[in-house]
Amino acid sequence: MVEDKEFMPKILAFLCNWCSYAGADLAGTSRLKYPPSILPIRVMCSSRIDPLFIIKAYLGGADGVLVAGCHPGDCHYEKGNYYTRRRFALLKKIFEELNMEPDRLMLSWISASEGHKYARVATEFTEKIKKSGESSVKNKIFL
Amino acid sequence: MTKALKINKNAEQGIKEFLRFLLESGKVKGVFSLKKINKEGAVAYSLITDPKDLEDSVPFYPVMPVTAGSLLSRFTLKGSPDKPVVAVMRPCELRGFVELVKREQGSFENVFTISMTCGGVYPLDMAVDKKIEKNLPKYWDAVKKSEIPADVRTACKGCTEFKPYTADITVDLVGNKDIDKQCIILLNTKNGESLADGMDAEFLEKKLDTKKLDVLLDKRAVEKKKLFDEIDKKMNGMDGLIDIFGRCIGCHGCMRVCPICYCKLCEFESPDSEYKPSNYNSELKKRGGVRVPPGTMYFQLGRLTHISISCVGCGACDDVCPVGIPVSTIFKKVGESVQKIFNYIPGKDVKESIPLVTFEKEEFIEFEE
């Protein structure tokens, strides 16, 4: 039976407390359907996410990593997400340069009122990862 | 055109005479320069205050023991010297120091800088048994002809930033066929001019011969492309990385010598990054095996996120890697592509902020989904 089971990716999602986590909550309370692939971690601000967290998740075998925060200009701490964006760009560029599947990383802005967007992002990202398949890092012993 | 000083001695004697003048006239209290330690060709950076000791100084000796950027940072970290000090260093070392000053790990107060158009340096492991000593004539011959000296470090072979950005004073070496007879010292800044003021030498208006620099630049660019292409073929995803970093012994030497890596409490050496039994258990369960000690890839990738934005390509990491991983080529290659998206040239301007501590409100839309 196990062989027939469709591959369901494991996606680690770092969600900011003020917008994206609330957005995810809203998706839930609005009973929107999205795949059970997302493992959310709540952080106070998206700028709390050290690129090292993302690397650790990736090396740990996450099939995808989602970083979500308030829309630019709407950060609860005024400018945290601007820094996030730069750090994310840096990390994604490094992944690109090392030919290391940058598509497994995603940055998205989801506000507290965007339950629909959260569900959509979760669905689309899951579909995308499903197409790329399981992360090959998962089975690597040397890391 | 900038003001310049011409001393009719060979380049090294010339700059030493200039340094002696600075010390004797009291314009500077100390000279920070490479100095011979023994007759085997071992050199180290030293702070010299007695003009007599200048005799053993070798400001242009083609080896880089520790980058002068890191050393100057330690020298000025707790406070600037109360009297001016002049430091002779290579362009990449200066860029490293600029990056450190931006990180508040040093200061330019009372520190004047002398740099040169740089011909490159030999690997550190050649600094024994007079190996460099024997190569010196060939080295200077190549520098004169705007060529890449044989056997210099990989990082130097592909370095295209051998002309200093911010030095107060630049010594004209590359492509200067008269370095055996004369020393041309260009005074780039007001500080540089005031240092040279009053020296008994010929003053003239001069600029660097860009044509001769371009000759070397072209050769270096070809070499760099070759290096980058080679490493690019190897960097094919995680498999490629495992191939490259597989022999890392985790000595963290690259981190210690890196001028940009300045943290005293390093994430990768903290007890936090040490694996607990539960970590081993979960790893074993997940993968069926684990490399010991773990965390090599985490270290290298993590260091890339920390350093790449400011990597000055000094090659110090290559020099110390005991297992010959081309660290500097990888960091420089990744670094350049990262720096490009931020339109940032590390070490170019001390007033320009590091891209990660600043932002524009509308940018990098392409990275959002």
Side-chain angles (χ1 to χ4, degrees):
Chain A
M1 285 305 284
V2 181
E3 296 90 67
D4 297 344
K5 224 174 169 185
E6 199 194 353
F7 161 59
M8 183 53 74
K10 271 191 181 168
I11 295 171
L12 212 61
F14 293 101
L15 308 177
C16 97
N17 179 56
W18 305 100
C19 290
S20 307
Y21 195 86
D25 254 358
L26 183 63
T29 46
S30 317
R31 307 199 165 225
L32 297 172
K33 209 171 171 182
Y34 61 89
S37 54
I38 309 272
L39 308 166
I41 294 177
R42 176 157 66 165
V43 288
M44 286 312 282
C45 177
S46 59
S47 64
R48 175 66 185 88
I49 301 155
D50 189 326
L52 286 180
F53 296 175
I54 303 175
I55 291 177
K56 195 146 211 168
Y58 179 74
L59 292 177
D63 296 306
V65 182
L66 170 69
V67 172
C70 312
H71 285 268
D74 288 346
C75 177
H76 184 78
Y77 306 100
E78 288 179 17
K79 48 191 185 182
N81 49 7
Y82 292 124
Y83 295 118
T84 312
R85 187 162 60 185
R86 286 209 157 196
R87 286 173 202 154
F88 188 85
L90 171 121
L91 184 65
K92 196 142 177 174
K93 194 73 203 169
I94 292 174
F95 267 59
E96 243 174 72
E97 202 58 27
L98 300 173
N99 302 314
M100 237 171 51
E101 307 179 292
D103 287 346
R104 291 192 187 272
L105 313 180
M106 182 169 169
L107 174 71
S108 194
W109 307 129
I110 300 164
S111 81
S113 61
E114 291 178 324
H116 277 99
K117 185 172 180 187
Y118 179 80
R120 179 169 61 77
V121 166
T123 315
E124 282 175 7
F125 193 33
T126 307
E127 285 310 312
K128 195 162 129 191
I129 300 289
K130 267 186 187 169
K131 268 187 205 133
S132 332
E134 207 175 358
S135 165
S136 64
V137 178
K138 215 175 274 186
N139 308 314
K140 299 271 188 290
I141 292 172
F142 177 99
L143 281 175
Chain B
M1 286 286 181
T2 44
K3 273 200 176 148
L5 206 58
K6 187 172 132 192
I7 300 173
N8 288 320
K9 284 187 174 174
N10 76 32
E12 185 160 294
Q13 289 305 323
I15 191 70
K16 273 159 85 165
E17 185 164 314
F18 180 62
L19 294 171
R20 180 169 300 115
F21 160 76
L22 293 179
L23 278 180
E24 281 171 353
S25 65
K27 289 194 175 192
V28 301
K29 181 82 180 162
V31 168
F32 190 89
S33 154
L34 284 174
K35 184 169 174 293
K36 270 193 182 164
I37 296 173
N38 60 18
K39 300 223 161 14
E40 298 297 302
V43 294
Y45 272 106
S46 316
L47 186 61
I48 299 167
T49 50
D50 188 342
K52 274 207 304 280
D53 290 333
L54 275 178
E55 215 38 62
D56 285 337
S57 70
V58 277
F60 303 142
Y61 204 74
V63 71
M64 198 168 83
V66 187
T67 82
S70 317
L71 294 175
L72 273 182
S73 148
R74 287 175 71 177
F75 177 55
T76 56
L77 180 60
K78 299 270 164 119
S80 303
D82 53 354
K83 298 264 169 56
V85 163
V86 68
V88 190
M89 51 185 165
R90 296 187 177 274
C92 56
E93 298 178 291
L94 179 56
R95 292 199 299 275
F97 185 53
V98 168
E99 286 301 302
L100 282 165
V101 171
K102 285 183 189 179
R103 289 165 168 76
E104 299 183 17
Q105 298 299 309
S107 151
F108 272 109
E109 207 188 319
N110 272 344
V111 176
F112 299 127
T113 52
I114 299 181
S115 194
M116 70 289 287
T117 49
C118 173
V121 298
Y122 288 112
L124 207 46
D125 57 14
M126 274 176 74
V128 289
D129 303 334
K130 295 191 177 171
K131 274 186 205 154
I132 292 179
E133 213 63 35
K134 285 174 202 153
N135 269 309
L136 282 180
K138 272 193 275 175
Y139 176 84
W140 288 113
D141 198 42
V143 171
K144 258 193 268 182
K145 292 183 191 149
S146 297
E147 279 169 8
I148 305 170
D151 302 327
V152 291
R153 304 182 315 172
T154 326
C156 299
K157 278 184 188 160
C159 168
T160 50
E161 293 169 291
F162 51 89
K163 187 181 140 194
Y165 290 120
T166 58
D168 292 315
I169 290 171
T170 304
V171 184
D172 178 17
L173 297 181
V174 168
N176 179 356
K177 60 183 189 324
D178 294 327
I179 41 180
D180 296 333
K181 291 180 289 206
Q182 53 175 246
C183 177
I184 303 287
I185 299 171
L186 292 117
L187 314 167
N188 306 322
T189 63
K190 284 265 172 301
N191 279 340
E193 281 178 27
S194 70
L195 281 180
D197 195 29
M199 174 145 184
D200 184 19
E202 193 183 328
F203 282 84
L204 38 110
E205 291 282 324
K206 213 177 157 24
K207 62 177 182 188
L208 287 173
D209 187 345
T210 41
K211 250 191 224 149
K212 281 168 181 160
L213 294 181
D214 285 346
V215 173
L216 182 62
L217 187 67
D218 290 345
K219 289 176 188 164
R220 295 262 186 102
V222 171
E223 202 64 39
K224 179 173 171 180
K225 190 171 177 308
K226 215 166 84 191
L227 282 168
F228 280 11
D229 286 350
E230 254 168 53
I231 203 74
D232 198 40
K233 265 183 232 148
K234 290 184 194 158
M235 293 196 302
N236 53 343
M238 195 46 80
D239 286 323
L241 287 181
I242 290 175
D243 234 28
I244 296 171
F245 290 114
R247 53 186 192 272
C248 173
I249 59 167
C251 68
H252 293 187
C254 45
M255 174 196 105
R256 264 174 242 286
V257 296
C258 179
I260 313 300
C261 254
Y262 68 87
C263 298
K264 293 287 174 267
L265 293 170
C266 174
E267 157 81 18
F268 305 106
E269 298 201 329
S270 76
D272 262 5
S273 64
E274 215 47 77
Y275 269 43
K276 295 174 223 25
S278 58
N279 295 124
Y280 280 109
N281 281 340
S282 75
E283 286 287 280
L284 288 173
K285 211 166 130 194
K286 192 159 56 192
R287 304 177 202 273
V290 64
R291 179 190 193 255
V292 189
T296 303
M297 217 50 87
Y298 180 58
F299 170 70
Q300 301 290 358
L301 290 175
R303 226 171 74 76
L304 267 174
T305 68
H306 289 172
I307 304 307
S308 57
I309 192 69
S310 288
C311 177
V312 294
C314 66
C317 42
D318 268 9
D319 243 356
V320 298
C321 183
V323 287
I325 297 168
V327 193
S328 124
T329 315
I330 297 166
F331 273 61
K332 182 72 183 156
K333 183 169 188 297
V334 175
E336 275 190 5
S337 68
V338 167
Q339 291 152 17
K340 206 169 155 193
I341 64 169
F342 292 103
N343 208 358
Y344 180 70
I345 298 176
K348 191 169 183 185
D349 180 4
V350 76
K351 291 194 188 83
E352 192 185 0
S353 324
I354 308 161
L356 294 180
V357 301
T358 175
F359 60 84
E360 302 281 332
K361 286 195 168 161
E362 282 178 33
E363 59 176 1
F364 296 121
I365 313 289
E366 67 276 17
F367 286 94
E368 302 158 14
E369 282 173 74

